[in-house]
Amino acid sequence: SALKLTPFKIRSSTVINATLIAALSAGFAAPAAALDANFAYFSDVSSLQLNGRAATVGNAVVASDGLKVLRLTDNYGQSGSAYGKTAFSLADDLSFSTFFQFRITAGGGFFESGESVKGADGITFALNSVNTMAGLAGDGIGYQGNPYSASIEFDTFNNGSPKDTDGNHVGVNLYGSTRSVATAQVTGALMNNGQIWSAWIDYDGVTDLLSVRLAQGGSAARPDTALLDYTVDLYEAVYHEDVYFGFTAATGSLTNTHDILRWEAQTMAAPVPEPTMLTLFGIGGLLL
């Protein structure tokens, strides 16, 4: 069955002590200090900077006019990225939370040893001081190239040491490199299995704790326990540069179609709270 998505309303919040700067499918439009935006679909990407192969296409999962996905790659040897058009400073202990859903499908090339689907290379959620670069293809995952950046990778191909130890993991990348400083293997299912995956990323600017949660399924609940925790001062890691929030993906001699189905993001001038709002953390109104 399919659940028809309708535009989410911008929420006011006592946690955020700054001007809201985005609305559904029209976010990142004006300079401000904080973001509270919801993208239930990508019918209008005028507020996003698309690079490389990135484009919007119809959503085959939800049978409703106007619903589109953000497609970052769809063939061999590609890279693609999509960033907001407003940069944010991570100074003053700025915290953020983001929830998104992705689908990686249609593998081509060869099978990795022991795996049941073809394809590579994965996606990242990135913070980048430059929003006009697609990054390197292949194991660059569309992110590699700018030292003033950081990302969380959802890597679906084992490129071998020193970059990878397995072909199905989450990792933290710094300084424009895809040689992760911390990783956690995803077990039980391959992320490029054509199913919807839900991801939650929280960063507490006071404690510098970066947490990543992941679950398979469009209606999956936010896991109580993080798949990956890593302590890092992101403000220092991007050399005090303002950064754009966005996504990247890439393929090489193998290929997958990398789609972002939904994206919600929020910055706040206080530590990340325990989630109470169902929409932000992906329990209500999801893709089925």
Side-chain angles (χ1 to χ4, degrees), residues 99-184:
F99 164 75
F100 60 94
Q101 293 178 322
F102 65 88
R103 184 176 61 232
I104 307 176
T105 56
F110 56 86
F111 291 96
E112 279 195 81
S113 176
E115 293 195 353
S116 58
V117 296
K118 299 177 181 179
D121 276 89
I123 67 172
T124 81
F125 174 75
L127 287 66
N128 200 324
S129 68
V130 178
N131 72 343
T132 55
M133 61 179 291
L136 296 182
D139 61 6
I141 321 180
Y143 160 73
Q144 186 175 341
N146 179 24
Y148 303 97
S149 65
S151 72
I152 293 85
E153 68 174 25
F154 299 79
D155 193 317
T156 61
F157 185 78
N158 185 358
N159 290 285
S161 181
K163 279 199 170 183
D164 297 325
T165 58
D166 65 83
N168 200 52
H169 65 266
V170 170
V172 177
N173 300 328
L174 302 176
Y175 313 118
S177 170
T178 54
R179 183 174 178 177
S180 300
V181 296
T183 62

Side-chain angles (χ1 to χ4, degrees), residues 200-278:
W200 298 258
I201 299 171
D202 304 304
Y203 177 67
D204 188 327
V206 176
T207 65
D208 294 334
L209 181 64
L210 179 66
S211 298
V212 184
R213 290 170 169 82
L214 183 68
Q216 182 174 282
S219 57
R222 172 185 165 102
D224 292 332
T225 303
L227 174 65
L228 176 62
D229 284 324
Y230 184 69
T231 300
V232 56
D233 187 334
L234 287 178
Y235 183 55
E236 295 295 331
V238 298
Y239 299 105
H240 300 182
E241 294 288 322
D242 292 355
V243 292
Y244 301 90
F245 291 76
F247 297 93
T248 76
T251 61
S253 57
L254 287 79
T255 183
N256 279 140
T257 298
H258 296 91
D259 291 338
I260 305 299
L261 308 178
R262 178 178 176 180
W263 180 23
E264 303 180 16
Q266 185 181 60
T267 59
M268 57 202 76
V272 178
E274 284 299 311
T276 57
M277 294 179 291
L278 296 185

